[in-house]
Amino acid sequence: MAYPTGETVERPPIWVMRQAGRYLPEYHEAKGNRDFFECCRSPEIASTLTLQPIDRFGGLIDAAIIFSDILVIPQAMGMTVQMVDKKGPHFPDPLKSPSDDQYEAVMRRKVDVEQELDYVYKAITMTRHKLKGRVPLYGFCGAPWTLLCYMVEGGGSKIFKEVKTWIYKYPTESRALLQKLAEVCVEYLALQIKAGAQIVMVFDSWAAELSPSSFKEFSLPYLQYISKHLPRRLQEMKEEIVPMVVFAKGAWYALDELCESGYQVVGLDWLQDPAEAVRIAKGRVVLQGNADPGILYGGQEAITTAVKEMVQGFGADKGSTKGWICNLGHGITPFVNPDDLKFFFEQVHKYTSTSNGSEST
């Protein structure tokens, strides 16, 4: 776990977002007929699902990420969230305007993060025991901007009409809610770490919906709040400070600012050129990413080509084993063949291991 803070290792570590999920046959067996959030709320099931890729791809991946969802925070704040099959998350009663009674209720609510999300902490502790040190365990949360998007839009969106109305028509009320979300995120991550998470990640999945100037106003300050106040909260709790990862999908324009945002690791999506990202980062942070998840549909030749390009872009073909955690540029998409993901892992090992010399050229 010293790697994100600069330790040299034999090869860059690798894991992938959504590595525990519906592309795995064993996921559906363990899930059964249960609702998605029912699985999240069961520590035993969440732990089982977390461990499935570790067991299936034994020795090929270097981290587990707890099975949960970013939208447990709005649930803890009193909002109803459903996971609709073949559609995704759905808020039956999203926030409509600052004059909405529900907005007032959310803002007034004293969120008992420890009580409301206790099932997540239990799943983390259980998973740490089951892992027995095989790989470190990531905890995570959604970024305030992305959570606001879901709470206002009521789900995913193509045009984000509602949240754009909020931030441009009601900027003061939007900032107040973003700040409350940031404070909840800090407490939630701190309690995940207390439960056993060894590294934590903040997902800003809808960052691409903001212009560079709007990102600096409605996303970045709240990401910075988390990175500044989480270590302080951990010190108050007498807990160990762990590495933090930020992933602002689509915010390629903000990479320089993200490198200065207080996180030790910055995630990249597949829209960023690795070599250019390395040039901008200048060694200030560890970079994480960033293969296009779509290559997993393309067969072995396409996967090998993409891995070689990525490895070369991050400089890992030149023997460098610092400054990069290999990952996809977003989560695994549906219908991926697990054998193709295994081949991706194998190719990354092949072209990054220092024992393979110049094989990657």
Side-chain angles (χ1 to χ4, degrees), residues 144 174-184 221-222 225 229:
S174 295
R175 290 190 201 97
L177 182 49
L178 287 164
Q179 178 60 32
K180 186 177 182 73
L181 286 164
E183 292 168 6
V184 172
Y222 306 99
Y225 180 92
H229 287 83

Side-chain angles (χ1 to χ4, degrees), residues 40-43 46 66-69 72 116-127 139-140 188 191-192 195:
C40 293
R41 288 189 290 269
S42 165
I66 196 66
F67 183 85
S68 187
D69 193 84
V72 297
E116 294 287 345
L117 299 175
D118 177 64
Y119 57 88
V120 178
Y121 319 131
K122 288 179 178 175
I124 287 172
T125 301
M126 184 180 296
T127 303
F140 70 91
Y188 180 42
L191 290 169
Q192 288 186 53

Side-chain angles (χ1 to χ4, degrees), residues 30-196:
K31 180 176 180 290
N33 295 322
R34 299 176 186 88
D35 170 79
F36 174 84
F37 282 115
E38 188 181 346
C39 292
C40 293
R41 288 189 290 269
S42 165
E44 182 63 50
I45 295 172
S47 178
T48 295
L49 297 176
T50 300
L51 292 169
Q52 285 179 344
I54 306 303
D55 294 335
R56 174 183 275 264
F57 305 116
L60 289 174
I61 51 179
D62 301 303
I65 183 166
I66 196 66
F67 183 85
S68 187
D69 193 84
I70 64 172
L71 297 180
V72 297
I73 285 181
Q75 288 177 332
M77 297 175 77
M79 297 189 73
T80 299
V81 190
Q82 303 165 343
M83 193 63 71
V84 180
D85 189 38
K86 298 180 181 177
K87 180 181 177 182
H90 172 64
F91 288 66
D93 187 21
L95 300 178
K96 297 176 179 64
S97 77
S99 60
D100 180 359
D101 288 344
Q102 187 176 202
Y103 173 80
E104 291 299 324
V106 167
M107 292 302 297
R108 285 197 310 267
R109 185 184 180 102
K110 180 172 171 47
V111 185
D112 188 340
V113 184
E114 186 168 15
Q115 173 75 25
E116 294 287 345
L117 299 175
D118 177 64
Y119 57 88
V120 178
Y121 319 131
K122 288 179 178 175
I124 287 172
T125 301
M126 184 180 296
T127 303
R128 279 294 305 277
H129 286 306
K130 291 180 181 178
L131 280 169
K132 296 179 180 177
R134 283 181 287 170
V135 296
L137 179 63
Y138 274 67
F140 70 91
C141 72
W145 161 251
T146 289
L147 296 176
L148 176 66
C149 287
Y150 279 112
M151 293 164 72
V152 170
E153 294 289 341
S157 175
K158 291 184 178 179
I159 61 173
F160 290 85
K161 169 184 175 290
E162 304 304 330
V163 76
K164 295 295 181 73
T165 300
W166 268 75
I167 63 173
Y168 296 128
K169 196 171 185 178
Y170 315 117
T172 300
E173 292 87 350
S174 295
R175 290 190 201 97
L177 182 49
L178 287 164
Q179 178 60 32
K180 186 177 182 73
L181 286 164
E183 292 168 6
V184 172
C185 286
V186 167
E187 188 67 12
Y188 180 42
L189 292 175
L191 290 169
Q192 288 186 53
I193 293 163
K194 180 181 179 181

